[in-house]
């Protein structure tokens, strides 16, 4: 048997502790499968005295990730610290600079510095694996980076944030408000005390930016993503969606268009009978459309200590099975130096169907006026219905429109024109419909 | 850039021709992604004169796969000939004996000779990749062999035959008979002129046997699979399933039980609101349940020239990205020599829910008798309903039972006891319900 693979783990939170436990408990079978032992040589975490329920005897402790990355006698640096900059970044740079392989679960770091780090890794002949950074246990990085080699991807989309999907699922199944479901998510540990990063779509955007690069071969551009969170989704939207044969999901979508690449994160209507519509709760899903393979959909746990540790372990095992300096999988699907400049398609040119919910004054001519504003902008309607359970004279009315495929620009103009008519009693709700 | 990877392709049917076309059209980008060019050096097929719409200029022609495997100056032998023995087997053995890497789409060959071939490959330090052999374009082999390293799989199940899924989908959506849907599948090229191999479940069984080994680490045992095809599924079953909240799918299922490994292929009721129930037409799906990752489901095209060629290309690219003799991924997930003996769990000990449809004479006491036979065998019923649209005095009645989880043995005994009562007017229909 070959020499053991010596690893150092920075960050001993839920994922790190899971990983240590699995590596220790399954060391014999891992050695057989990988053809050599995987040995934890070093660890680093903030608090040395904390009881994590794992045995760190015989493992060298480092006070900082960077120190471990620079000094430990390891082959692989495992980064589970998190954060786009600071300790995690410095440590990963230090490890790659020494030619160590790096395994990381850090989507923020990759979304921000992915291209530089990939370039550094490739210059040094090191591997940089990050399956756990996107959609947890779902092997979407491997699918894009390896299985789909040679394919031209046209679109990639997915449910990549368990917090949002849990809230939307619960709102629909139990008819509760956004706020009530967010509270429940927080109680169960599915949402942070400050949930903004998840529910505003930033977390999904980080993951999407990484997938976009793997799919289309452009440089990572996480700042060029159209972003809309789920905080404005009401029970009424969810109910109206169901009646129209749709379900609302927060999707990250990247697609190739004539004018460039569209990257967008927003609440989306997907057909009720589509596979992705059945993806409930904290589960994630990613769909990839490509020209040779066709459509591939993967569904699985997007977070959680064990699922994430499983993805990290798969990345470590890939290195263990290869021989030093042998494997040349380009970090971002193709060599970092050959990644193209990101060309952003304007959101105004987005084409698709739209759901529009308007709350209007109960007055004559509103219906006709709305239809006219749509026609003025060449928007072809699939349906326009006045939705009311009980008609109360003088009470505001709800009107719901569903459009055929049209340009976002036309929708914005039509909605603006309708707002100018002064019969709206609240902000119009516009939700994009995604073809699945 | 490193030396090019020299490949030889045996078999130029739909998949082979697709593969040649893609490798030629995308040679430049593949060279960038893989870090070296992939060159087709040799081909072999039955009929040299046939026009396949591909350019074979400059490529050495061999009259037999075995001759190419033995003599061609190649690094990788790509086997797209098919068949469990004969030419394909001889050629693959010859290639591995020379230490060539092998990529194959041949499930029959692997189901029959997989362990021997894996042993030979590992002895020679050669890679044997076979992503295309199971579920076409779905990267399930890679998921099991690489991503899930360290996980203990408890169950794997899936829709792995497009012909059957097309027929079942069409029967439900259009209310047509099995025979009518089979004819339509044949007309569209989704079913062979002799469809037995698909509709009797043998094709699914071959794929399942391979997945079972990757999941559980046992030697491949394709002959030890409980097999039931879809030829006995009637429109009435499909309709009754829908009314009960189920959909019928032909699943291949392998799971670990106390008494060994269950491998079974049979029509199965899955809950209507499960993700796998939405997998329609010729699409395939595979679900893997494991202890660290949790549940992973992958959905995609299970057949077709391009989807299969994509999987073959991914396998070739994996070799191109590695360096000769460098990568050591064990062929069947762990070294062939460490695979355990297959321990078959008896089908009689299978535990699960059951759907039973009985057509009985219209006579007093039948309902009570059926319920009693169930109780005699300690079978707990979820429901027992007499199903009839219009009651015609004296006409046969349909009774449908759904059981809670119980043992197959008890079901067999109860059904036998019911048959002995002589009030059945046709063979009882028994369909297993699968937890999803």
């Amino acid at each position: 048997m070959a020499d053991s693979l010596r690893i150092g783990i920075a960050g001993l939170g839920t994922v790190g502790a899971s990983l240590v436990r699995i590596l220790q408990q399954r060391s014999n079978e891992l050695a057989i499968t990988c053809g050599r032992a995987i040995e934890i040589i070093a660890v680093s975490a903030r608090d040395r005295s904390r009881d994590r329920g794992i045995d760190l005897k015989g493992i060298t402790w480092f006070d900082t990730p960077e120190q471990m990355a620079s000094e430990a006698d390891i082959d692989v640096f495992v980064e589970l610290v998190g954060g786009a900059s600071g300790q995690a970044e410095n440590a990963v740079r230090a490890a790659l600079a020494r030619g160590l392989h790096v395994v990381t679960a850090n989507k923020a770091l990759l979304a921000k510095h992915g291209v530089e780090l990939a370039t550094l890794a490739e210059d040094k002949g090191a591997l940089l694996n990050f399956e756990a950074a996107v959609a947890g246990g779902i092997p979407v990085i491997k699918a894009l980076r390896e299985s789909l080699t040679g394919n031209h991807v046209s679109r990639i989309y997915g449910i990549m944030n368990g917090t949002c999907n849990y809230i939307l699922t619960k709102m629909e199944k139990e008819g509760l408000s956004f706020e009530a479901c967010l509270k429940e998510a927080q109680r169960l540990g599915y949402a942070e005390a400050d949930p903004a990063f998840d529910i505003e779509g930033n977390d999904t955007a980080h993951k999407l930016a990484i997938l976009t690069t793997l799919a289309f071969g452009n440089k990572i551009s996480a700042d060029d993503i159209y972003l809309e969170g789920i905080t404005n989704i009401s029970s009424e939207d969810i109910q109206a969606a169901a009646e129209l044969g749709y379900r609302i999901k927060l999707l990250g979508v990247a697609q190739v268009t004539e004018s460039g690449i569209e990257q967008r994160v927003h609440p989306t209507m997907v057909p009720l009978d589509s596979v992705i519509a059945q993806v409930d709760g904290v589960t994630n899903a990613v769909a990839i459309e490509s020209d040779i393979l066709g459509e591939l959909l993967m569904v699985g746990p997007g977070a959680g200590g064990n699922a994430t540790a499983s993805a990290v372990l798969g990345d470590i095992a890939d290195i263990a099975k290869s021989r030093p300096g042998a494997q040349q999988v380009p970090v971002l699907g193709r060599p970092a130096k050959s990644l193209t400049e990101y060309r952003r398609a304007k959101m105004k040119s987005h084409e698709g169907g739209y759901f529009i919910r308007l709350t209007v004054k109960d007055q004559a001519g509103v219906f006709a006026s709305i239809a006219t504003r749509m026609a003025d902008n060449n928007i072809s309607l699939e349906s326009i219905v006045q939705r009311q359970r009980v008609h109360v004279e003088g009470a505001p009315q709800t009107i719901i429109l569903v459009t055929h495929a049209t340009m976002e620009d036309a929708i914005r103009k039509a909605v603006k024109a309708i707002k100018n008519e002064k019969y709206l009693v609240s902000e119009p709700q516009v939700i994009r419909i995604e073809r699945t």
Side-chain angles (χ1 to χ4, degrees), chain A residues 415-429:
Chain A
V415 168
K416 197 174 167 196
I418 289 167
K419 280 174 81 170
N420 285 339
E421 298 282 359
K422 307 292 183 205
Y423 45 65
L424 292 188
V425 300
S426 60
E427 273 299 295
Q429 175 69 294

Side-chain angles (χ1 to χ4, degrees), chain A residues 83-391:
Chain A
S85 317
Q87 286 207 324
E89 186 198 351
N90 296 338
V92 167
R93 283 188 195 278
L96 292 175
R98 280 175 73 196
L100 300 184
H101 302 304
V102 170
V103 173
T104 176
N106 190 334
K107 55 191 175 291
L109 175 66
L110 290 164
K112 190 162 181 192
H113 301 292
V115 178
E116 286 165 76
L117 296 176
T119 308
L120 183 55
E122 287 164 11
D123 283 350
K124 296 289 181 176
L127 294 168
L128 173 52
N129 289 348
F130 52 94
E131 187 62 81
V134 179
I138 301 177
V140 62
I141 303 300
K142 196 176 260 291
L144 280 168
R145 206 159 83 149
E146 302 174 22
S147 304
L148 283 160
T149 300
N151 275 268
H152 292 174
V153 177
S154 52
R155 183 169 63 142
I156 182 160
Y157 64 94
I159 297 169
M160 290 179 272
N161 183 275
T163 310
C164 290
N165 206 49
Y166 173 83
I167 292 172
L168 292 172
T169 302
K170 201 165 174 74
M171 282 176 76
E172 185 189 352
K173 292 212 167 149
E174 308 190 10
L176 297 174
S177 71
F178 173 80
E179 291 72 21
C181 296
L182 171 58
K183 269 206 189 106
E184 181 63 10
Q186 287 172 321
R187 197 183 65 79
L188 292 169
Y190 295 157
E192 309 277 342
D194 176 2
F197 195 73
D198 289 315
I199 62 177
E200 302 290 359
N202 305 81
D203 173 75
T204 302
H206 278 163
K207 295 166 182 169
L208 182 66
I210 297 169
L211 294 187
T212 301
T213 287
L214 286 162
F216 306 124
N218 56 271
K219 290 182 186 163
I220 299 174
S221 190
D223 296 331
D224 278 327
I225 298 181
Y226 176 83
L227 206 62
E228 242 178 70
I230 62 165
T231 52
N232 287 325
I233 299 297
S234 68
S235 305
E236 212 177 342
D237 295 321
I238 287 182
Q239 207 180 329
E243 285 169 19
L244 291 162
Y246 292 102
R247 189 164 279 158
I248 300 178
K249 297 289 181 191
L250 182 78
L251 295 189
V253 185
Q255 72 189 115
V256 175
T257 74
E258 274 171 27
S259 59
I261 294 168
E262 252 183 49
Q263 286 189 105
R264 47 194 170 87
V265 174
H266 53 73
T268 308
M269 299 248 186
V270 294
L272 263 180
D273 63 356
S274 63
V275 180
I276 204 163
Q278 318 304 320
V279 175
D280 275 356
V282 295
T283 305
N284 282 17
V286 181
I288 309 168
E289 290 173 0
S290 58
D291 62 346
I292 314 175
L293 175 55
E295 181 165 350
L296 177 68
L297 174 74
M298 296 192 277
V299 183
N306 275 340
T308 309
S310 177
V312 172
L313 177 56
D315 279 349
I316 296 171
D318 273 353
I319 299 171
K321 290 170 190 168
S322 70
R323 290 294 167 264
Q327 179 79 333
Q328 305 287 329
V329 181
V331 175
L332 295 168
R334 61 212 79 188
K337 280 166 188 157
S338 72
L339 294 170
T340 58
E341 288 305 319
Y342 178 71
R343 198 161 66 93
R344 179 183 187 159
K346 291 208 175 74
M347 197 58 197
K348 271 164 121 179
S349 348
H350 168 69
E351 263 190 83
Y354 287 79
F355 160 99
I356 303 170
R357 180 171 57 80
L358 304 170
T359 312
V360 301
K361 291 181 189 154
D362 186 18
Q363 67 186 46
V366 169
F367 211 88
S369 164
I370 292 170
T372 305
R373 293 301 151 258
M374 291 288 148
D376 291 347
N377 288 283
N378 294 314
I379 296 165
S380 155
L381 294 176
E382 191 178 296
S383 64
I384 169 167
V385 292
Q386 187 150 346
R387 189 164 169 277
Q388 54 184 165
R389 311 246 165 267
V390 188
H391 185 248

Side-chain angles (χ1 to χ4, degrees), chain A residues 16 28 38 245:
Chain A
N28 290 339
I38 299 171

